[in-house]
Amino acid sequence: MGFGIGDLFWIFLLLSSLQPLWQKRQVEYRRVRSLQEFQQQRKSRVILLIHRQESISLLGIPISRYITIEDSEQILRAIRLTPPDVPIDLILHTPGGLVLATEQIARALIRHPSKVTVFVPHYAMSGGTMLALAADEIVMDANAVLGPVDPQLGNFPAASILKVVKDKPIGEIDDQTLIMADLSEKAIQQVQRFVRTLLKDNIPQQKVEPENIEPIIEALTTGRVTHDYPITVEEATEMGLPITVGLPRSIYDLMDLYPQPQGGRPSVQYIPMPYDDRRPILPTPKGRPLEEPNQRLQ
């Protein structure tokens, strides 16, 4: 009994519909394997907090993801399941998020008795920086960045709202701005108090020299720069933060398993292999190797 063209079409359609599910399962399996291998190498609990810009299928509308209450619930559970004598490694790639969720995670990290290390392969801005401040060591790629943690009220920096009240006569300021200024002052004080708590934590070792704590708070919370200002490795080190430069290769391998969803034409393309001075070996028709002339990027 043979197959007709119609049967082959339905078989093709079935296989095509199952392929995305199969690929998703394969990626999930590779993620778990990579996490297990990294945990075994580090003898730690590894937690990933990776936020990519998602896209709605069909419409293709970009949605920026950030730290949410759901994230805090999952991370708090992972920390609870970690024995007190096991270190925690948190891999961060995030633009920030909700203050409540961020503070819950940060407090849980500083209460963990063993060493907490945060890895930043690309960026950990705003709330992500707050989580990094809760760590005993911040390990960053040489080109990775942190960001200020000054509070934002709606679309406006709290520090800028306070500047309006400072610079204008009180009679020229509307009631809503005055209310926002009051909230801004409280928000800045709350953030400064919390950052001070994170930096003064000294378990299991002193993270930041005492004389650097107030300058760090001043630099990160008072709005002296814009909220999206990138704090480089050099600047963070100069502040006195416990920065180590250089990530394990396995961190980059893990990040490759969490790619940005593709929407249309890719904006960046390259041949995914290291470029060095080694000459590639090509087979000849008789199977003997033939050396290509050495090439260099100009």
Side-chain angles (χ1 to χ4, degrees), residues 265-281:
R265 181 179 62 84
S267 58
V268 177
Q269 286 186 300
Y270 61 95
I271 299 174
M273 56 189 302
Y275 191 94
D276 55 28
D277 289 332
R278 292 176 298 179
R279 290 176 287 183
I281 305 299

Side-chain angles (χ1 to χ4, degrees), residues 33-297:
R33 282 289 303 273
S34 296
L35 276 174
Q36 288 175 339
E37 291 174 1
F38 191 52
Q39 284 192 154
Q40 291 172 358
Q41 294 171 7
R42 298 273 303 176
K43 294 181 172 55
S44 65
R45 162 80 71 185
V46 179
I47 304 172
L48 272 71
L49 183 60
I50 298 176
H51 291 136
R52 296 290 197 183
Q53 185 184 65
E54 306 293 347
S55 297
I56 300 177
S57 57
L58 298 181
L59 298 180
I61 301 173
I63 300 178
S64 296
R65 296 192 59 197
Y66 53 88
I67 302 171
T68 64
I69 293 298
E70 289 74 19
D71 290 331
S72 67
E73 290 177 358
Q74 292 297 320
I75 294 178
L76 292 182
R77 182 174 184 272
I79 295 173
R80 284 197 303 271
L81 293 175
T82 306
D85 60 338
V86 174
I88 289 177
D89 292 332
L90 177 61
I91 301 173
L92 279 180
H93 178 80
T94 179
L98 297 179
V99 174
L100 172 59
T102 300
E103 290 198 7
Q104 283 185 305
I105 298 170
R107 289 187 187 279
L109 291 175
I110 64 175
R111 287 173 176 151
H112 186 70
S114 294
K115 183 179 180 180
V116 174
T117 305
V118 162
F119 295 89
V120 184
H122 186 60
Y123 78 144
M125 306 295 283
S126 190
T129 299
M130 192 84 79
L131 298 182
L133 296 179
D136 299 295
E137 181 182 15
I138 306 170
V139 183
M140 300 176 64
D141 179 87
N143 299 304
V145 295
L146 303 175
V149 299
D150 57 306
Q152 310 291 296
L153 273 66
N155 295 323
F156 302 105
S160 296
I161 297 173
L162 289 177
K163 191 173 187 302
V164 171
V165 176
K166 177 183 177 182
D167 292 349
K168 292 184 69 173
I170 191 71
E172 298 179 11
I173 304 173
D174 62 273
D175 291 346
Q176 183 176 357
T177 302
L178 291 173
I179 293 172
M180 293 288 286
D182 179 61
L183 293 174
S184 297
E185 186 174 4
K186 293 174 181 176
I188 291 176
Q189 291 175 355
Q190 289 168 191
V191 168
Q192 290 180 336
R193 184 164 58 248
F194 185 62
V195 171
R196 189 174 290 109
T197 299
L198 298 179
L199 296 178
K200 285 186 175 180
D201 170 57
N202 59 0
I203 300 174
Q205 59 189 10
Q206 184 67 40
K207 302 183 299 185
V208 177
E209 295 296 331
E211 64 271 15
N212 291 330
I213 291 178
E214 294 306 319
I216 291 173
I217 293 172
E218 176 74 16
L220 295 179
T221 68
T222 57
R224 64 166 64 168
V225 292
T226 59
H227 193 62
D228 61 351
Y229 175 79
I231 299 175
T232 63
V233 167
E234 292 80 9
E235 190 171 352
T237 302
E238 187 177 344
M239 286 183 187
L241 293 175
I243 304 293
T244 300
V245 181
L247 296 178
R249 179 66 211 177
S250 49
I251 297 286
Y252 300 109
D253 293 338
L254 270 170
M255 291 296 295
D256 287 341
L257 298 176
Y258 292 84
Q260 175 72 33
Q262 294 295 326
R265 181 179 62 84
S267 58
V268 177
Q269 286 186 300
Y270 61 95
I271 299 174
M273 56 189 302
Y275 191 94
D276 55 28
D277 289 332
R278 292 176 298 179
R279 290 176 287 183
I281 305 299
L282 302 178
T284 65
K286 295 183 179 180
R288 291 177 298 179
L290 175 67
E291 292 187 350
E292 279 278 332
N294 196 18
Q295 300 181 8
R296 294 178 182 270
L297 286 178

